[in-house]
Short mmCIF file of all heavy atoms in Angstrom, two decimals:
data_model
loop_
_atom_site.label_atom_id
_atom_site.label_comp_id
_atom_site.label_asym_id
_atom_site.label_seq_id
_atom_site.Cartn_x
_atom_site.Cartn_y
_atom_site.Cartn_z
N ALA Q 13 -10.43 -2.66 1.62
CA ALA Q 13 -11.17 -1.79 2.45
C ALA Q 13 -10.68 -1.94 3.87
O ALA Q 13 -10.48 -0.96 4.68
CB ALA Q 13 -12.67 -2.01 2.33
N LEU Q 18 -7.45 0.24 8.46
CA LEU Q 18 -6.43 0.24 9.50
C LEU Q 18 -5.39 1.30 9.33
O LEU Q 18 -5.00 1.95 10.22
CB LEU Q 18 -5.70 -1.17 9.35
CG LEU Q 18 -6.51 -2.37 9.82
CD1 LEU Q 18 -5.84 -3.65 9.41
CD2 LEU Q 18 -6.64 -2.41 11.31
N ALA Q 21 -6.90 4.52 10.48
CA ALA Q 21 -6.95 4.62 11.90
C ALA Q 21 -5.56 4.77 12.57
O ALA Q 21 -5.48 4.80 13.69
CB ALA Q 21 -7.69 3.28 12.39
N ASP Q 24 -0.41 1.47 11.38
CA ASP Q 24 0.43 1.07 10.28
C ASP Q 24 0.85 -0.34 10.23
O ASP Q 24 0.92 -0.97 9.19
CB ASP Q 24 1.75 2.02 10.38
CG ASP Q 24 1.38 3.45 10.11
OD1 ASP Q 24 0.51 3.84 9.29
OD2 ASP Q 24 1.99 4.30 10.82
N GLN Q 56 8.37 4.59 9.45
CA GLN Q 56 9.68 5.13 9.10
C GLN Q 56 10.74 4.14 8.49
O GLN Q 56 11.94 4.20 8.68
CB GLN Q 56 10.40 5.78 10.38
CG GLN Q 56 9.47 6.90 10.99
CD GLN Q 56 9.23 8.05 10.06
OE1 GLN Q 56 10.23 8.66 9.56
NE2 GLN Q 56 7.96 8.36 9.74
N GLN Q 58 11.91 3.62 5.22
CA GLN Q 58 12.08 4.23 3.89
C GLN Q 58 12.45 3.16 2.81
O GLN Q 58 11.86 3.25 1.72
CB GLN Q 58 13.04 5.34 3.81
CG GLN Q 58 13.10 6.06 2.48
CD GLN Q 58 14.07 7.33 2.62
OE1 GLN Q 58 15.11 7.23 3.21
NE2 GLN Q 58 13.70 8.33 1.94
N LEU Q 88 9.75 9.59 -1.35
CA LEU Q 88 9.84 8.35 -2.17
C LEU Q 88 10.46 8.77 -3.49
O LEU Q 88 10.35 9.86 -3.95
CB LEU Q 88 8.44 7.78 -2.42
CG LEU Q 88 7.87 7.24 -1.22
CD1 LEU Q 88 6.40 6.75 -1.48
CD2 LEU Q 88 8.64 6.13 -0.56
#
Side-chain angles (χ1 to χ4, degrees):
L18 290 166
D24 294 320
Q56 301 299 303
Q58 187 175 38
L88 295 177

